Amino acid sequence: MITIALSKGRIFEETTPLLAAAGIIPAEDPESSRKLILATNRYDVRLIIVRATDVPTYVQYGAADLGIAGKDVLDEHGGEGLYQPLDLQIAKCKMMVAVREDFDYLGAIRRGARLKVVTKYVKTAREHFAAKGMHVDLIKLYGSMELGPLVGLADAIVDLVSTGATLRANHLTAVEEVGDISSRLVANQASFKLNRTQLQPILHAFSTAITK
Ligand code: ATP
Ligand code: MG
């Protein structure tokens, strides 16, 4: 049995055509089903529905053979025990630094000010600011980072941005790019060696179906 770990929402939606290209059709829609294990049309493939941030953990420990997770999530996880064979080019966005519209970010950097930054991505943010030689105090949040600078919790946020509509609605502006984000296929390293004959065709179908 091949187990593939996915999160519902945008990753499930954007993965559905790739799965179809590999001849895998989920038996149910995770948005309407409460089941956490979904059968597929293939007797030897099942899907498990987990939180986006938990995908690398299930694959790392071999509870799933394959998983699909954002680069943001994989960078924070560290990628231990994971083989990352494919950039699926889905769920694309950017990791950005953003501040209040009235905050002088470049001025603060020039003065060498110590910035307070809220983010869900503490490891990524720490590495980004360290590479720039900036001193920051990082505060971990689990959601709605945009609120931080509005209520005096922080000077800046590090978060994912796609259209920028949420930033604009909250009078924030992106000032710096941390990196490009897309979702990646990850495989458990041991399982990939052991089940190569079953996994290789799925990988091949995905890589052929990726829209560049
Ligand atoms: P939850 O929303 O349940 O708290 P989450 O934010 O981790 O969890 P999603 O919103 O489904 O889950 O995001 C899953 C992945 O999709 C992220 O890890 C990221 O790689 C990508 N993603 C997030 N936001 C966007 C976006 N606005 N545009 C494109 N891709 C995004
Ligand atoms: Mg989300």
Side-chain angles (χ1 to χ4, degrees):
M1 176 65 80
I2 296 296
T3 302
I4 306 176
L6 290 173
S7 54
K8 55 183 183 182
R10 65 168 58 84
I11 289 194
F12 185 86
E13 281 157 29
E14 298 192 37
T15 301
T16 301
L18 299 176
L19 290 170
I24 300 165
I25 313 288
E28 279 173 281
D29 177 358
E31 300 301 337
S32 51
S33 169
R34 286 168 185 269
K35 286 189 184 163
L36 300 175
I37 301 179
L38 301 184
T40 72
N41 62 318
R42 279 180 47 175
Y43 74 94
D44 62 337
V45 179
R46 65 177 182 175
L47 310 179
I48 60 173
I49 305 300
V50 305
R51 277 298 286 268
T53 42
D54 290 334
V55 167
T57 306
Y58 280 88
V59 179
Q60 172 187 4
Y61 290 101
D65 305 284
L66 299 176
I68 293 165
K71 182 174 187 294
D72 51 324
V73 165
L74 293 169
D75 286 347
E76 281 297 301
H77 173 270
E80 200 193 330
L82 302 179
Y83 170 50
Q84 273 190 54
L86 277 182
D87 181 349
L88 299 173
Q89 303 280 344
I90 60 170
K92 285 173 144 182
C93 54
K94 283 187 192 294
M95 181 87 70
M96 305 284 292
V97 180
V99 298
R100 272 168 58 152
E101 283 165 357
D102 58 4
F103 184 81
D104 180 10
Y105 182 66
L106 291 179
I109 293 177
R110 247 182 268 119
R111 289 196 313 276
R114 191 176 183 100
L115 294 186
K116 279 188 288 175
V117 180
V118 288
T119 186
K120 180 159 105 172
Y121 304 102
V122 173
K123 180 169 181 273
T124 304
R126 187 186 299 116
E127 288 168 3
H128 172 76
F129 292 113
K132 296 195 63 188
M134 284 173 64
H135 294 285
V136 297
D137 291 317
L138 292 166
I139 301 170
K140 165 106 185 179
L141 286 180
Y142 292 87
S144 303
M145 270 70 82
E146 296 84 0
L147 188 57
L150 304 182
V151 295
L153 183 61
D155 305 302
I157 73 173
V158 169
D159 198 10
L160 301 177
V161 179
S162 51
T163 63
T166 308
L167 292 182
R168 274 193 297 280
N170 291 292
H171 302 287
L172 300 178
T173 183
V175 286
E176 194 166 273
E177 193 175 319
V178 177
D180 285 313
I181 302 296
S182 58
S183 287
R184 314 296 164 100
L185 182 69
V186 291
N188 176 276
Q189 280 172 356
S191 159
F192 194 75
K193 285 184 200 131
L194 217 60
N195 302 304
R196 192 178 276 274
T197 48
Q198 272 173 296
L199 296 180
Q200 198 64 58
I202 297 176
L203 242 77
H204 183 260
F206 278 13
S207 71
T208 310
I210 290 167
T211 44
K212 287 268 154 50

